[in-house]
Amino acid sequence: MSKDNYTKLFGLWPSPITPISMAHGIGFSDVAWDHDGTLVWREGRSDRGVLVVQAPDGQAPRDFNNEYNVRAGVGYGGGDFTVGHGYIYFVEAESGRIFRQPTHKGSAKPIIPAFGSAASPAISPNGRYLLYVHTYERNDCIAVVDPEGNNWPQKLISGEDFYMQPCWHPDSQRIAWISWNHPQMPWDGTRLYLASVVALLRGSLELGEVKKVAGGKKTAVFGAQFSPDGRYLAYVSDPDGWWQLFVYDLVTNEHHVLTGGEAEHGIPAWVQGMRTFNFSPDGNTIYFLKIKDGSIGLWQVNIKSKLEERVRIGPEYTWMKQVAVAPVGERVAVIASGGRVPERIIQYEASQGTRVIRRSMPEEIPEQTYSQPSPISWTGMDGNDVYGIYFTPNSARYSGIGVPPLLVLIHGGPTSQSGANFDSKAQYFTSRGWAVLQVNYRGSSGYGRDYRDKLKGNWGVYDVQDAVAGAKHLVEEGQVDAKKLVIMGGSAGGFTVLK
């Protein structure tokens, strides 16, 4: 029977999307490669973080271990694990300790004491040292320990309020990191540092020359990665108001911007371990995420020619995170979803195309059930442009009677961004005949620094105005019922709802 044979009031359609089906899904937070092509990712299963390993021979993925809840505890979390030289280093949630475990066979061993919390472990290319971010009694630092935990950890860098994303040069003799001080947030003003490290007796390290590479109180730096050939230090920064991708030439001491235009190539670093770019194995190309008009695409850029090219992983994928490039074979793994495609871990290889590695849910519900999100904009109360994502009511079986009710969804942060990703909450309502508007109010990321900074001193004002203006816009367009408007939000979005 065709869809036209079923009509029912908007908002009252039966739907196969239920609270139980939504609760059964899993989440992905990070993905990483070892030197031999082993792929490791972290899954959020209810209240537990579980690492999953796929061997390079293509065997079925397996849970890494059953005993430990993998979740780092510096700030809001993130930076839960790393992999290298045949070992996985992960943070256990309850103790805050870093554990070391062979990737394919063997048991886990703690390598740091149980005090404070750790995050963002980074193993040196020569396998002799492990950097990590540590916090204890509200004091943050970057520490270092031998990978077997035979010696007491050493505080290597301290003195600033916050630290993030320590990384090693391929020669294992230089490191880079990002730090900042209160009251700056990581998207307001951070600094990228480069330093040499000197090995002392009994395996301890000390810093040699320390150099600020980029950033400041009013310029944010996101991400830090050395190229595999050791020539460049790549980072994202926003001196022109948009997060662009840069490389710092370690030979000539010159900075080169690789991207441009009104698009974002970084995101607010609310947690450790966030990543929007990764080098190719030869160091000549960087794979990166471009955020524009509410969608995220995977691109690549040649460092010398600065030629950008979109990676054709499939039009169904319109939202991505955590780019990871294999050390061999130029395979790219990324966490991806689309408006009608639940989150997946996918792998792309130019000669093989795109392959699904892991799905976040069974995907037994037909795509036709889901609404396809679209970017929209409207004029705010004071004449400013405001942006959002709009979902129309949609069902594989029902057509509506009357005009649909509207649910206005407010994201948290408040610097987060709603986009063209799979949103089970929105689909729960659209499949029942509701329209859904996700408001990227002034203060949201994805539209440049000026737009993001507008909320400063106006929190509880502009976000509320923009939500009201968005609902009025849809009413005036005749798309929703003016008498059936509902607002919902959590965290910072909950504050907007209360206002």
Side-chain angles (χ1 to χ4, degrees):
M1 190 173 291
S2 70
K3 174 178 175 178
D4 292 337
N5 291 103
Y6 293 90
T7 59
K8 200 173 183 69
L9 284 173
F10 281 108
L12 298 179
W13 301 345
S15 170
I17 304 174
T18 66
I20 292 178
S21 68
M22 294 167 63
H24 281 172
I26 60 176
F28 305 121
S29 62
D30 203 0
V31 58
W33 298 89
D34 201 356
H35 69 284
D36 63 351
T38 297
L39 187 63
V40 182
W41 63 88
R42 180 183 179 274
E43 297 182 359
R45 303 179 188 171
S46 185
D47 63 342
R48 290 184 56 80
V50 179
L51 294 181
V52 182
V53 177
Q54 184 171 55
D57 57 8
Q59 294 182 11
R62 64 177 177 83
D63 286 2
F64 184 52
N65 61 55
N66 296 317
E67 182 177 353
Y68 301 103
N69 179 12
V70 179
R71 187 176 68 243
V74 176
Y76 283 98
D80 305 291
F81 75 98
T82 193
V83 57
H85 304 284
Y87 290 90
I88 297 176
Y89 301 86
F90 64 90
V91 182
E92 193 273 326
E94 290 188 12
S95 66
R97 305 173 81 177
I98 297 176
F99 283 71
R100 177 183 192 247
Q101 182 174 342
T103 305
H104 297 295
K105 188 176 182 181
S107 57
K109 171 191 173 183
I111 62 173
I112 66 170
F115 72 96
S117 295
S120 294
I123 188 70
S124 62
N126 64 13
R128 295 182 59 190
Y129 302 100
L130 185 81
L131 285 175
Y132 61 98
V133 178
H134 190 262
T135 186
Y136 179 64
E137 294 183 341
R138 304 184 70 178
N139 291 313
D140 291 5
C141 71
I142 294 177
V144 63
V145 68
D146 67 280
E148 294 184 2
N150 292 326
N151 299 309
W152 193 262
Q154 174 192 350
K155 184 185 291 186
L156 187 63
I157 305 158
S158 62
E160 298 205 63
D161 293 338
F162 305 102
Y163 293 90
M164 186 172 283
Q165 295 168 314
C167 61
W168 290 94
H169 187 273
D171 65 10
S172 299
Q173 297 177 10
R174 284 174 282 183
I175 62 173
W177 69 91
I178 292 171
S179 59
W180 70 100
N181 290 304
H182 184 82
Q184 265 73 30
M185 298 294 280
W187 52 86
D188 292 328
T190 59
R191 291 170 294 279
L192 172 61
Y193 288 98
L194 171 68
S196 60
V197 291
V198 180
L200 302 176
L201 295 176
R202 298 181 180 177
S204 63
L205 295 179
E206 72 173 10
L207 292 186
E209 180 186 4
V210 178
K211 177 180 180 180
K212 192 190 86 168
V213 174
K217 286 188 176 181
K218 296 183 179 180
T219 303
V221 181
F222 172 89
Q225 292 181 32
F226 290 100
S227 60
D229 60 7
R231 177 66 184 265
Y232 301 103
L233 175 60
Y235 62 95
V236 170
S237 189
D238 63 350
D240 69 347
W242 293 84
W243 270 316
Q244 306 293 358
L245 180 61
F246 290 79
V247 289
Y248 175 66
D249 191 318
L250 297 170
V251 175
T252 66
N253 297 322
E254 296 176 323
H255 297 262
H256 304 281
V257 60
L258 302 181
T259 58
E262 293 187 348
E264 298 278 45
H265 301 86
I267 49 181
W270 274 98
V271 299
Q272 299 275 337
M274 301 174 80
R275 187 175 62 253
T276 59
F277 64 89
N278 210 201
F279 279 95
S280 64
D282 60 11
N284 295 325
T285 300
I286 298 178
Y287 290 86
F288 66 92
L289 301 181
K290 177 182 286 190
I291 307 166
K292 187 175 179 62
D293 298 328
S295 294
I296 301 180
L298 179 62
W299 291 67
Q300 60 183 6
V301 59
N302 182 277
I303 294 176
K304 293 183 178 179
S305 69
K306 299 184 181 180
L307 178 64
E308 296 182 36
E309 181 182 0
R310 184 152 194 169
V311 180
R312 304 295 176 182
I313 64 170
E316 67 271 32
Y317 298 113
T318 52
W319 196 262
M320 277 156 272
K321 61 183 181 181
Q322 299 303 94
V323 184
V325 182
V328 292
E330 199 125 344
R331 288 169 291 165
V332 183
V334 67
I335 301 170
S337 72
R340 291 180 166 179
V341 179
E343 196 169 71
R344 301 168 174 172
I345 293 176
I346 61 172
Q347 175 185 304
Y348 172 82
E349 190 173 0
S351 61
Q352 302 293 326
T354 301
R355 182 163 68 98
V356 178
I357 302 297
R358 184 78 160 113
R359 303 173 193 268
S360 61
M361 56 178 60
E363 298 188 14
E364 78 276 15
I365 296 175
E367 282 192 15
Q368 295 85 351
T369 303
Y370 299 126
S371 176
Q372 182 63 44
S374 300
I376 67 168
S377 63
W378 59 91
T379 302
M381 292 182 176
D382 54 2
N384 286 278
D385 289 336
V386 182
Y387 305 96
I389 304 295
Y390 183 59
F391 297 74
T392 59
N394 189 75
S395 172
R397 301 184 65 193
Y398 289 91
S399 296
I401 300 172
V403 183
L406 174 67
L407 172 64
V408 179
L409 282 178
I410 310 298
H411 66 65
T415 59
S416 298
Q417 179 188 12
S418 296
N421 60 305
F422 184 81
D423 188 319
S424 59
K425 183 186 297 183
Q427 300 291 355
Y428 177 89
F429 286 95
T430 58
S431 64
R432 287 167 167 74
W434 286 70
V436 174
L437 174 63
Q438 295 177 329
V439 182
N440 284 324
Y441 48 83
R442 284 169 288 177
S444 304
S445 59
Y447 306 95
R449 177 182 276 265
D450 287 346
Y451 190 82
R452 191 176 68 245
D453 283 350
K454 287 180 183 290
L455 199 63
K456 290 184 177 180
N458 293 288
W459 193 13
V461 180
Y462 287 169
D463 49 327
V464 175
Q465 291 179 359
D466 294 348
V468 172
K472 286 185 175 180
H473 168 76
L474 293 174
V475 169
E476 292 167 358
E477 292 287 316
Q479 298 187 58
V480 300
D481 191 334
K483 296 182 179 180
K484 298 177 180 178
L485 307 176
V486 179
I487 188 169
M488 180 187 299
S491 189
F495 177 73
T496 303
V497 171
L498 290 174
K499 293 289 286 187

